[in-house]
């Protein structure tokens, strides 16, 4: 049997040396090279031409970006990411890139099993669907690898087949009106009807420590994401008890592994929802106290987002914090569409440009990004065309703008969305235009509210052609 050629990448020299020694007896793999610094990665890949690359932590590069760069530069190589507990927020992103993921510490048997599997891309080409296969090593749950990719059997049974629109609203600077825009978009989508019924819409406040989505609608913050996280922990503890594992002594790695194997029903989100009665909008609010936000871990967010993917909501909209925390990163790569919000001032524009650069480096599809400039006045220091040039956007890509409107200020102070008011305004029209660009759903309510006038008899062939 010809052994597959493996390259190891990680700055932890001792861990690599130990792994290499343990793999020396492997019948399937041969370690042919290793790299401990970013500048050595491309040299060893070019020199050794491996079949597999095991990518770990390098101080000079984010693991998600590095894996994507290797996959792009060496498409024939199978890439396996090995993530520490602090890096597992990259898991959804890596899975979307069709890259295997293993949680550290890595066992040789795990790598051997993955080396014998078809690549994630092969699964996609063969139409085998999406999901998260577990690679068994021993009998205990902690011996399972998180072999995530858009491959294999779905981890959750879909409740019903229908399109789902996953949207994240993100502003890399605070105070730009991100929560206001999230609220208005969510309420707008709730008013849209499809197949004779309003869309079922869920808004999530992922600004875990200082979120104000509930406040913007005069709603209570209980239940919330923290109470859901507590319920998830109780289910994980029950799993541990069935396996004879003491949850008090279990480490972060074990909690992560049990969370990965936890399967929640799509309806289990309902006890943690707050409903806005006027619009019918469902909301997962941020915790009431900042200290509670510290108790929401990466594995909680993973379980929540995976559960929501299988829910029966038509639209899921996430309002994020103005940071690059784990929650924000997971929200960005969870979504199909991202709305970047800023204002026409220097620091807000610069922050959007920096985030666009990061997304481009990660090869995030730019067609999934909408840029929105809020509080635009008639006379600004920068024009939209100047902003477009600074962002290096394609000339045909629209930059959406929301005018500075007195109606907006009244709506924020009153906790009443402008989408629920009777009065039209420039800001409302602009938000509706943005919403229609994000989700291409024909609004049946518009045709019901405003019946089309009867056509007049065509007077000539030219009038018929102009229709």
């Amino acid at each position: 049997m010809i052994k597959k050629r493996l390259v190891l990448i990680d700055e932890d020299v001792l861990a690599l040396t130990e792994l290499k020694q343990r793999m020396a007896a492997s019948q399937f793999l041969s370690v042919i090279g290793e790299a401990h610094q970013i500048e050595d990665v491309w040299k060893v890949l070019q020199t050794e031409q491996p079949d597999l690359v095991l990518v770990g932590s390098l101080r000079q590069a984010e693991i998600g970006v590095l894996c994507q760069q290797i996959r792009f530069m060496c498409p024939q190589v199978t890439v396996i990411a090995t993530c520490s507990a602090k890096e597992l927020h990259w898991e959804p992103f890596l899975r979307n890139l069709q890259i295997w993921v293993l949680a550290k510490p890595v066992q040789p048997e795990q790598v051997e099993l993955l080396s014998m599997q078809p690549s994630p891309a092969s699964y996609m080409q063969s139409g085998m669907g999406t999901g998260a296969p577990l690679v068994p090593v021993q009998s205990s749950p902690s011996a399972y690898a998180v072999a995530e990719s858009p491959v294999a059997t779905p981890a959750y049974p879909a409740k019903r087949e229908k399109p789902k629109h996953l949207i994240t609203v993100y502003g890399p600077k605070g105070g730009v009106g991100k929560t206001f825009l999230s609220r208005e978009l969510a309420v707008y989508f709730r008013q849209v009807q499809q197949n004779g019924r309003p869309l079922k819409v869920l808004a999530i406040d992922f600004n875990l420590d200082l979120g104000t989505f509930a406040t913007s609608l005069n709603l209570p913050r209980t239940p919330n994401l923290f109470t859901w996280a507590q319920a998830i922990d109780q289910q994980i503890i029950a799993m541990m008890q069935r396996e004879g594992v003491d949850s008090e002594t279990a480490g972060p790695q074990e909690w992560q592994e049990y969370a990965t194997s936890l399967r929640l029903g799509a309806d289990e989100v309902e006890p943690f929802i707050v409903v806005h009665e006027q619009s019918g909008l469902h909301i997962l609010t941020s915790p009431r106290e900042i200290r509670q936000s510290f108790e929401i871990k990466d594995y909680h967010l993973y379980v929540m987002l995976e559960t929501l993917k299988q829910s029966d909501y038509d639209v899921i909209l996430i309002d994020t914090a103005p940071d690059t925390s784990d929650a924000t990163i997971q929200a960005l790569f969870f979504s199909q569409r991202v709305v970047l919000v800023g204002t026409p001032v220097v620091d807000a524009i610069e922050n959007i440009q920096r985030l666009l650069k990061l997304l481009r480096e990660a090869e995030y599809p730019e067609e999934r990004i909408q840029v929105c400039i809020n509080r635009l006045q008639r006379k600004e220091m920068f024009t939209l065309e100047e902003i477009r040039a600074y962002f290096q956007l394609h000339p045909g890509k629209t930059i959406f703008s929301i005018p500075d409107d007195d109606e907006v200020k009244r709506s924020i102070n009153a906790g009443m969305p402008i989408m629920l008011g009777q009065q039209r305004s420039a800001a409302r029209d602009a938000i509706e235009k943005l919403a229609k660009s994000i989700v291409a759903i024909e609004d049946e309510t518009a045709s019901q509210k405003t019946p089309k006038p009867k056509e007049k008899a065509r007077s000539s062939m030219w009038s018929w052609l102009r229709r």
Side-chain angles (χ1 to χ4, degrees):
M1 176 183 293
I2 299 177
K3 295 184 179 181
K4 290 192 175 182
R5 297 157 56 82
L6 173 65
V7 163
L8 307 177
I9 299 173
D10 202 301
E11 65 183 10
D12 191 338
V13 179
L14 292 177
L16 281 194
T17 301
E18 180 182 351
L19 180 60
K20 189 164 60 172
Q21 290 173 349
R22 296 177 65 188
M23 298 192 70
S26 173
Q27 300 178 5
F28 308 101
L29 296 171
S30 173
V31 178
I32 58 170
E34 55 188 279
H36 311 296
Q37 296 180 351
I38 189 66
E39 55 265 24
D40 298 328
V41 171
W42 309 113
K43 294 178 184 177
V44 71
L45 292 179
Q46 186 174 12
T47 303
E48 303 297 343
Q49 299 290 311
D51 301 303
L52 295 92
V53 181
L54 203 64
V55 183
S57 307
L58 291 180
R59 205 165 303 169
Q60 308 99 321
E62 294 282 2
I63 189 170
V65 176
L66 179 58
C67 286
Q68 170 62 342
Q69 290 173 339
I70 295 174
R71 196 177 72 96
F72 178 74
M73 298 295 293
C74 309
Q76 77 283 0
V77 174
T78 297
V79 181
I80 304 172
T82 61
C83 296
S84 65
K86 293 182 179 180
E87 294 170 325
L88 280 173
H89 63 274
W90 281 101
E91 179 273 332
F93 170 62
L94 293 166
R95 181 181 50 178
N96 287 336
L97 294 179
Q98 304 162 27
I99 291 173
W100 298 114
V101 178
L102 294 176
K104 289 182 176 180
V106 176
Q107 304 298 324
E109 296 89 345
Q110 297 172 324
V111 185
E112 288 180 336
L113 283 171
L114 288 184
S115 72
M116 293 183 286
Q117 301 293 323
S119 69
S122 301
Y123 281 101
M124 294 296 290
Q125 292 166 3
S126 63
M128 292 181 68
T130 61
L134 293 174
V135 182
V137 182
Q138 302 169 357
S139 58
S140 67
S142 60
Y144 283 79
V146 187
E148 295 290 357
S149 70
V151 302
T153 308
Y156 299 83
K159 199 167 185 178
R160 58 191 170 108
E161 293 293 332
K162 66 172 186 176
K164 191 185 301 296
H165 303 277
L166 311 175
I167 305 162
T168 290
V169 179
Y170 178 58
K173 180 182 181 301
V176 297
K178 173 182 53 60
T179 298
F180 161 76
L181 185 60
S182 298
R183 180 190 75 176
E184 299 298 333
L185 288 172
V187 173
Y188 169 81
F189 291 132
R190 175 60 188 163
Q191 293 179 315
V192 173
Q193 291 202 5
Q194 189 177 42
N195 300 325
R197 66 170 183 83
L199 295 180
K200 190 172 182 183
V201 182
L202 173 69
I204 310 173
D205 191 347
F206 253 32
N207 189 345
L208 299 181
D209 48 4
L210 296 172
T212 57
F213 199 101
T215 305
S216 75
L217 289 169
N218 294 326
L219 292 174
R221 286 198 178 189
T222 303
N224 54 49
L225 289 167
F226 174 65
T227 53
W228 192 8
Q230 289 179 306
I232 290 172
D233 281 346
Q234 291 303 313
Q235 290 173 288
I236 293 175
I237 290 171
M239 291 173 63
M240 289 182 174
Q241 290 174 342
R242 288 194 294 269
E243 298 289 339
V245 176
D246 185 357
S247 61
E248 295 293 330
T249 59
Q253 185 64 43
E254 288 180 282
W255 280 86
Q256 178 72 46
E257 289 163 354
Y258 275 95
T260 303
S261 60
L262 180 64
R263 298 292 177 261
L264 299 184
D267 57 349
E268 292 191 45
V269 64
E270 293 180 7
F272 312 104
I273 294 294
V274 174
V275 180
H276 183 244
E277 297 295 340
Q278 293 94 321
S279 64
L281 177 66
H282 287 196
I283 301 152
L284 276 169
T285 78
S286 57
R288 292 183 61 185
E289 300 179 23
I290 292 178
R291 63 180 180 81
Q292 293 176 340
S293 69
F294 302 148
E295 301 301 318
I296 301 178
K297 309 298 184 183
D298 288 350
Y299 68 83
H300 292 129
L301 302 176
Y302 170 83
V303 172
M304 291 173 183
L305 292 177
E306 287 298 313
T307 302
L308 291 172
K309 281 183 183 177
Q310 310 305 323
S311 68
D312 62 352
Y313 287 102
D314 302 290
V315 177
I316 298 175
L317 186 144
I318 302 178
D319 180 30
T320 59
D323 57 28
T324 53
S325 64
D326 294 345
T328 299
I329 293 295
Q330 289 208 38
L332 287 172
F333 291 106
F334 164 82
S335 297
Q336 300 163 334
R337 303 299 294 270
V338 172
V339 182
L340 293 182
V341 186
T343 52
V345 295
V346 172
D347 50 355
I349 292 173
E350 181 184 3
N351 282 349
I352 289 181
Q353 193 274 338
R354 293 167 66 185
L355 185 72
L356 281 170
K357 181 181 178 182
L358 173 64
L359 293 175
R360 285 166 179 154
E361 288 176 353
E363 295 195 8
Y364 193 94
E366 202 150 334
E367 64 271 13
R368 289 163 54 177
I369 302 171
Q370 296 287 26
V371 178
C372 178
I373 303 299
N374 192 25
R375 300 176 191 152
L376 190 69
Q377 299 181 6
R378 290 185 178 181
K379 293 182 179 181
E380 292 286 0
M381 181 180 296
F382 306 104
T383 67
L384 290 180
E385 289 307 313
E386 289 172 333
I387 294 173
R388 180 200 307 281
Y390 184 64
F391 290 162
Q392 298 180 349
L393 298 177
H394 188 277
K397 189 171 183 64
T398 301
I399 294 183
F400 292 87
S401 61
I402 312 296
D404 195 13
D405 194 323
D406 290 338
E407 185 66 24
V408 170
K409 297 171 185 175
R410 285 192 290 269
S411 128
I412 293 173
N413 291 331
M416 176 60 67
I418 61 175
M419 289 298 168
L420 293 181
Q422 299 298 318
Q423 185 176 349
R424 302 297 304 185
S425 68
R428 177 172 179 166
D429 292 342
I431 294 169
E432 288 187 3
K433 183 179 178 181
L434 171 62
K436 291 174 181 177
S437 75
I438 300 170
V439 177
I441 298 176
E442 183 180 354
D443 187 352
E444 297 175 2
T445 57
S447 59
Q448 293 170 4
K449 292 178 181 178
T450 310
K452 295 182 179 179
K454 293 182 179 179
E455 278 192 280
K456 296 181 180 179
R458 302 186 187 99
S459 57
S460 68
M461 182 179 69
W462 295 112
S463 62
W464 179 80
L465 288 173
R466 287 194 295 268
R467 286 185 68 221

